[in-house]
Amino acid sequence: MPSNIPDSIKDKAGEIFNKLDQINFAEIAIIAGLAWGLILLAEHLIPWTAKRLPARMRMYLLPSIPVFRLVILVIAFAMIVPMVIQTSLQNLIAILGFTAVALGFAFKDYISSLIAGIVAIYERPYRVGDWVTIDGAYGEVQSLSLRALRLYTPDDTVVSIPHIKIWNTNIFNANDGNRNLCVVTHFYVDPDHDAV
């Protein structure tokens, strides 16, 4: 540590973590190994089960894989943290503060999309039924939610675009709420055609 940091701060920082001889690394390795094994089991068992169930159940079961993965990781993290960090009120407050800052950075784009969605509702750069080009995607706006809009492209593809794009991307609106849409068509004439 730099020499200009007072000794009291160094001592407080050292009090958060347990001493290395107090940490049971074998138990941490077992918990991490079990978590990894459970994640692999869920990633193989859920698709295997989904293949044997009706199609409508498959649509609900397959998206649950990331949820199972997250639950397993949170449980493993909750079991490992008390082994590494001394549990006290001050340490708990420090950890919760750090977690809040980390979550703030993790969800900043999501929150920015929500704010941009509110701005889009009032400024109306696009409406349902408008034909728009946003970030290279062209199509008809099918729906607007608070976080994103859904475009239906001419080649039968649905594209979800977060509203955050209105901060830094040009939005080309072909009809801007009108029922008429100008269509530009390129056609070519054979050079050997009869001009008469």
Side-chain angles (χ1 to χ4, degrees), residues 170-183:
N170 292 330
I171 298 170
F172 302 94
N173 194 329
N175 58 334
D176 197 27
N178 296 319
R179 297 180 69 170
N180 300 328
L181 176 63
C182 179
V183 177

Side-chain angles (χ1 to χ4, degrees), residues 143-158:
S143 65
L144 296 169
S145 67
L146 200 55
R147 189 195 68 81
L149 67 114
R150 292 170 56 105
L151 286 183
Y152 189 70
T153 64
D155 64 349
D156 199 28
T157 304
V158 176

Side-chain angles (χ1 to χ4, degrees), residues 103-121:
L103 287 175
F105 279 114
F107 288 108
K108 76 179 178 60
D109 286 340
Y110 184 79
I111 293 168
S112 182
S113 285
L114 292 178
I115 293 169
I118 294 168
V119 170
I121 289 170

Side-chain angles (χ1 to χ4, degrees), residues 5 55 64 113 138:
I5 298 176
S64 68
S113 285
Y138 173 74

Side-chain angles (χ1 to χ4, degrees), residues 3 6 12 23 38 43 72-73 86 129 147 164 166 173 184:
S3 58
K12 295 256 184 216
I23 299 174
L38 287 172
E43 288 177 349
I72 292 167
L73 288 174
Q86 294 181 14
R147 189 195 68 81
I164 195 172
I166 68 173
N173 194 329
V184 177

